[in-house]
Amino acid sequence: MIVSASQGEGQILEIEGEQWAEKDSLKVRVMDAYGDTYLIFIDPQTIYPLAERHTRPNGKTTETIFNDYRDLDGLATPFQLTVSQENNAVSKIQINSAAINPGLLSKLFGLPSVLR
């Protein structure tokens, strides 16, 4: 969400320090391309998202908490996500294993022979 906003598909509205779950965090308020606003809490040491909170137009809040970050081909990836609505957990996702583009052949991304 932050990357999309920084690339023009929305807007970063505010960044400030704040406590989240008794941890120091950066609170980033963003607006997506549709005008919806989100609060994203970032660990200032790792720059990993800790949680994302979205308040819908009807006033109801959905929060996703990200945990168990692991290195996945150089990309820090949360292997556990918990989604709550109005402070009640509605789903928990636990990823046991993952791979990035396992079916793609690296030769598909090579330079054509005329460019070598």
Side-chain angles (χ1 to χ4, degrees), residues 84-97:
S84 300
Q85 292 180 345
E86 297 301 307
N87 296 318
N88 297 312
V90 293
S91 69
K92 186 173 187 177
I93 299 167
Q94 178 66 51
I95 299 170
N96 294 319
S97 65

Side-chain angles (χ1 to χ4, degrees), residues 21-89:
E22 299 180 13
K23 299 177 186 174
D24 288 338
S25 74
L26 297 173
K27 180 177 79 174
V28 181
R29 191 164 64 96
V30 298
M31 182 186 331
D32 68 13
Y34 303 102
D36 291 332
T37 59
Y38 295 80
L39 295 176
I40 303 170
F41 298 90
I42 307 289
D43 181 317
Q45 300 300 313
T46 63
I47 309 300
Y48 299 166
L50 300 168
E52 177 181 287
R53 188 178 301 150
H54 176 232
T55 303
R56 293 175 293 200
N58 64 6
K60 295 193 179 211
T61 302
T62 300
E63 184 173 77
T64 303
I65 299 171
F66 307 99
N67 284 307
D68 190 17
Y69 275 88
R70 300 181 198 174
D71 184 272
L72 187 58
D73 293 335
L75 178 65
T77 304
F79 272 57
Q80 186 180 82
L81 295 88
T82 303
V83 179
S84 300
Q85 292 180 345
E86 297 301 307
N87 296 318
N88 297 312

Side-chain angles (χ1 to χ4, degrees), residues 98-112:
I100 296 178
N101 296 329
L104 297 177
L105 302 172
S106 58
K107 70 179 183 179
L108 295 175
F109 296 97
L111 288 174

